[in-house]
Amino acid sequence: QVQLQESGPGLVKPSETLSLTCTVSGGSIRRYYWSWIRQPPGKGLEWIGYISDTGSTNYHPSLKSRVTMSLDTSKNQFSLKVNSVTASDTAVYFCARMTYAIPGRFDYWGQGTLVTVSS
Amino acid sequence: DIQMTQSPSSLSASVGDRVTITCRASQSINMFLSWFQQRPGKAPNLLIFSASTLQNGVPSRFSGSGSETDFTLTISSLQPEDFATYYCQQTYTTPYSFGQGTRLGLK
């Protein structure tokens, strides 16, 4: 059974960098896209971007200037960095797997981790 | 960017009711539409993809239909565990986008 688990600091100061890692177990990181999605408290879901198993990336235009995603296939992990954070970046951050098959579907998700931006 | 609009935003129903939620895309997305269920404090759970294909393990009381810009999610007979928030999502083109959600509550 595929499982995804987010990890990283739960509190980040304004203007600093948010860093999260998602560890994939029970399956390979190959042949999938790996996404980050966030959900501000009490609000809806926002797709942040994805990284493919070959390392190609696609970011939401509204976040593109501040987001970097990376992949470590040897550890079956992928990561998210968001720099220059503000209070509006406070959210539960989910990692998720998206299939290569068209149309892609987000079939496995991590449980989510709350990141609060506050001094 | 493609905007996804769900209706209604909230809905009250009883166990055993038949419920329909609609999702409209701001432009054609073919059948690149998924539906998710999210319970409080949990991750979204994929119910349906390709507009009408039931994800493995999802009960058959859930069904989806539609194409191009108009889609529906139907729950044929509500069960107590179905009271949750439902989201549609398009994967036709990036940036992928979600509807604002429909909160399904107990009447």
Side-chain angles (χ1 to χ4, degrees):
Chain A
Q1 175 75 346
V2 174
Q3 292 185 318
L4 285 73
Q5 178 69 57
E6 304 90 349
S7 59
L11 182 64
V12 181
K13 291 182 168 56
S15 80
E16 295 191 346
T17 297
L18 178 161
S19 296
L20 295 173
T21 296
C22 183
T23 301
V24 181
S25 58
S28 174
I29 211 161
R30 301 290 183 190
R31 302 289 297 166
Y32 292 100
Y33 295 101
W34 301 95
S35 268
W36 291 94
I37 300 101
R38 68 181 183 179
Q39 185 171 38
K43 295 189 177 180
L45 299 161
E46 179 183 36
W47 177 76
I48 299 170
Y50 70 63
I51 184 165
S52 76
D53 61 335
T54 60
S56 64
T57 56
N58 191 316
Y59 303 142
H60 197 296
S62 68
L63 294 166
K64 189 173 185 176
S65 63
R66 298 193 294 126
V67 166
T68 304
M69 295 183 186
S70 59
L71 190 68
D72 187 338
T73 54
S74 67
K75 295 182 179 178
N76 250 28
Q77 292 178 335
F78 60 104
S79 298
L80 169 71
K81 291 186 187 298
V82 183
N83 59 37
S84 305
V85 297
T86 68
S88 63
D89 293 308
T90 293
V92 175
Y93 285 75
F94 297 99
C95 57
R97 187 182 86 168
M98 178 178 164
T99 60
Y100 259 24
I102 294 173
R105 61 188 184 271
F106 288 64
D107 58 354
Y108 286 96
W109 294 61
Q111 65 187 21
T113 187
L114 175 62
V115 178
T116 301
V117 178
S118 174
S119 56
Chain B
D1 298 4
I2 296 177
Q3 309 303 317
M4 306 299 292
T5 304
Q6 289 180 232
S7 61
S9 295
S10 64
L11 175 61
S12 295
S14 301
V15 173
D17 283 355
R18 180 183 180 89
V19 165
T20 297
I21 298 168
T22 66
C23 178
R24 174 163 287 178
S26 60
Q27 66 185 72
S28 175
I29 58 170
N30 198 329
M31 294 181 71
F32 288 51
L33 192 283
S34 296
W35 288 98
F36 295 89
Q37 177 193 68
Q38 187 179 33
R39 297 191 177 103
K42 301 294 187 183
N45 180 49
L46 178 65
L47 300 174
I48 285 167
F49 62 95
S50 300
S52 60
T53 303
L54 205 62
Q55 174 70 350
N56 287 343
V58 174
S60 59
R61 63 181 180 273
F62 291 93
S63 64
S65 65
S67 64
E68 306 296 337
T69 59
D70 293 300
F71 302 88
T72 60
L73 171 70
T74 299
I75 309 172
S76 61
S77 178
L78 274 175
Q79 299 302 300
E81 61 269 28
D82 298 338
F83 293 98
T85 300
Y86 292 84
Y87 293 94
C88 61
Q89 180 209 26
Q90 66 83 16
T91 54
Y92 180 74
T93 187
T94 59
Y96 301 138
S97 47
F98 293 87
Q100 81 280 15
T102 295
R103 180 171 292 185
L104 177 54
L106 183 62
K107 186 184 289 184

